[in-house]
C-alpha cells in the first residue's frame, strides 16, 4: 500500500546482520570463530533494524521483547546489539546500558561484549574497553552495566537499553526508568 508509512530497507537489515562477521565467540569449542547467527536471530535483527519510516528513515520498532530458552545465545546476541547500537547505528553520543535484577547479572551482557571486543582484531580498532565501560571515542558513545536500583538510574540519555531476565524483575521500576531515559533520542531501542 502506498499510504503505509513504513518500508523494509534491505541494506539496513543486511548491515546489522553483517556486523556479526566482526564479532567472535570467546569461549568453548567455538572460541575465536566468527559468530554465525541462527535464522531466528536473522529474522529478529533484520526486522528490528530493517523496518524504517518512509519519510524520516528512523527505526519503526523501538521496543523488542525476546523470550528465549536457556543456552541459546541471548547474552551473545544482546552484546552484539549493544556494540552495533553504539557504533554503526548512526547515533553520535550513543549511550547503551545493560540492566538486570542485580548488577552482577547486568554485567553478563556487558562482559560478553568486552570479551567479543578482545577476541576480534577488527573490533579492537574501534572500541576502547575498560573495567566498567566500553566506548568509541570518535563518536562519544559508551556501553555500561547499570545497577538494578531504579532510583540510581534517573538522568540517563539512553539510545539502547538491554534488560536481561525481565521476567525476574519484581516491579516495572527499572524498565520504566530505562524507557523514560530514551525520550530525547530519535530512534532509541
Amino acid at each position: 500500500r502506498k499510504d503505509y508509512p513504513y518500508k523494509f530497507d534491505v541494506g539496513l537489515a543486511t548491515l546489522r546482520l553483517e556486523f556479526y562477521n566482526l564479532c567472535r565467540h570467546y569461549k568453548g569449542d567455538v572460541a575465536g570463530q566468527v559468530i554465525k547467527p541462527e535464522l531466528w536471530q536473522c529474522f529478529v535483527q533484520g526486522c528490528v533494524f530493517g523496518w524504517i519510516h518512509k519519510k524520516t528513515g528512523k527505526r519503526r520498532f523501538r521496543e523488542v521483547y525476546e523470550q528465549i530458552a536457556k543456552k541459546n545465545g541471548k547474552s551473545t546476541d544482546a552484546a552484539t546489539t549493544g556494540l552495533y547500537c553504539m557504533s554503526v547505528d548512526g547515533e553520535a553520543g550513543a549511550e547503551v546500558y545493560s540492566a538486570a535484577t542485580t548488577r552482577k547479572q547486568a554485567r553478563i551482557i556487558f562482559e560478553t561484549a568486552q570479551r567479543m571486543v578482545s577476541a576480534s582484531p577488527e573490533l579492537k580498532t574501534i572500541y576502547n574497553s575498560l573495567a566498567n565501560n566500553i566506548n568509541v571515542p570518535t563518536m562519544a558513545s559508551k556501553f555500561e552495566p547499570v545497577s538494578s536500583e531504579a532510583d540510581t538510574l534517573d538522568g540517563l540519555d539512553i539510545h539502547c537499553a538491554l534488560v536481561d531476565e525481565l521476567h525476574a524483575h519484581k516491579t516495572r521500576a527499572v524498565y520504566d526508568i530505562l524507557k523514560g531515559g530514551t525520550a530525547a533520542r530519535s530512534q532509541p531501542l
Side-chain angles (χ1 to χ4, degrees):
R1 294 179 9 203
K2 291 187 188 266
D3 62 336
Y4 190 66
Y6 300 101
K7 68 177 183 175
F8 186 76
D9 186 312
V10 174
L12 288 174
T14 301
L15 184 63
R16 171 60 183 99
L17 297 178
E18 287 180 349
F19 186 75
Y20 283 106
N21 293 323
L22 300 177
C23 301
R24 296 175 187 267
H25 291 284
Y26 65 89
K27 63 182 174 181
D29 294 340
V30 293
Q33 293 179 21
V34 169
I35 293 173
K36 292 186 168 91
E38 299 288 330
L39 287 177
W40 68 266
Q41 291 168 308
C42 293
F43 175 77
V44 171
Q45 297 295 337
C47 285
V48 171
F49 291 92
W51 279 102
I52 59 171
H53 194 275
K54 286 178 183 175
K55 289 182 182 172
T56 66
K58 300 297 182 186
R59 193 173 9 261
R60 176 184 179 185
F61 300 110
R62 307 282 174 92
E63 286 184 71
V64 178
Y65 176 80
E66 295 176 314
Q67 190 167 333
I68 303 156
K70 287 184 178 192
K71 302 299 172 198
N72 277 291
K74 291 185 298 284
S75 298
T76 299
D77 208 41
T80 66
T81 298
L83 292 171
Y84 182 89
C85 283
M86 69 180 289
S87 58
V88 184
D89 206 26
E91 184 81 9
E95 294 182 21
V96 176
Y97 297 98
S98 60
T101 57
T102 66
R103 184 170 177 85
K104 183 178 178 182
Q105 180 76 26
R107 290 192 63 81
I108 292 173
I109 293 172
F110 174 76
E111 289 173 356
T112 299
Q114 279 185 313
R115 290 180 180 119
M116 278 182 198
V117 168
S118 295
S120 169
E122 298 89 357
L123 295 183
K124 277 194 242 183
T125 66
I126 300 166
Y127 302 94
N128 181 27
S129 184
L130 307 169
N132 294 305
N133 171 285
I134 302 169
N135 60 75
V136 180
T138 58
M139 296 185 71
S141 297
K142 68 179 182 176
F143 184 167
E144 297 175 345
V146 293
S147 166
S148 61
E149 297 170 14
D151 57 349
T152 66
L153 300 175
D154 281 325
L156 299 178
D157 184 15
I158 301 166
H159 177 61
C160 176
L162 305 162
V163 184
D164 198 9
E165 305 291 345
L166 182 63
H167 68 280
H169 289 246
K170 291 183 181 1
T171 70
R172 291 180 47 100
V174 170
Y175 175 82
D176 290 342
I177 291 284
L178 293 174
K179 185 174 179 182
T182 66
R185 299 290 180 159
S186 63
Q187 62 169 3
L189 183 60

